[in-house]
Amino acid sequence: MDTRVKHVPTGKVYANRKEAKQMMGHRRYNRALKDGEMLFGALFKALDIVF
């Protein structure tokens, strides 16, 4: 399972929270998170087993 983070206003997709925080900067990431501008999703691969 891969998790993705999307910044809604810009449409930019990051591989994970750490990458998003590094690319956006600590302050901008926290502000976007607080304002509800971040979407978190999970992508499942064909070989993933889900219970």
Side-chain angles (χ1 to χ4, degrees):
M1 175 177 74
D2 291 332
T3 56
R4 304 278 180 192
V5 180
K6 182 177 183 181
H7 186 233
V8 176
T10 61
K12 184 132 180 164
V13 178
Y14 301 100
N16 52 39
R17 290 177 189 230
K18 182 178 180 181
E19 181 186 344
K21 199 166 209 175
Q22 288 175 341
M23 298 299 289
M24 293 177 70
H26 178 77
R27 190 174 194 166
R28 279 187 53 208
Y29 174 82
N30 286 341
R31 175 64 62 183
L33 194 60
K34 180 182 173 187
D35 292 342
E37 297 176 352
M38 304 298 279
L39 287 178
F40 298 91
L43 299 173
F44 294 97
K45 297 178 184 173
L47 298 176
D48 286 345
I49 298 172
V50 180
F51 291 98

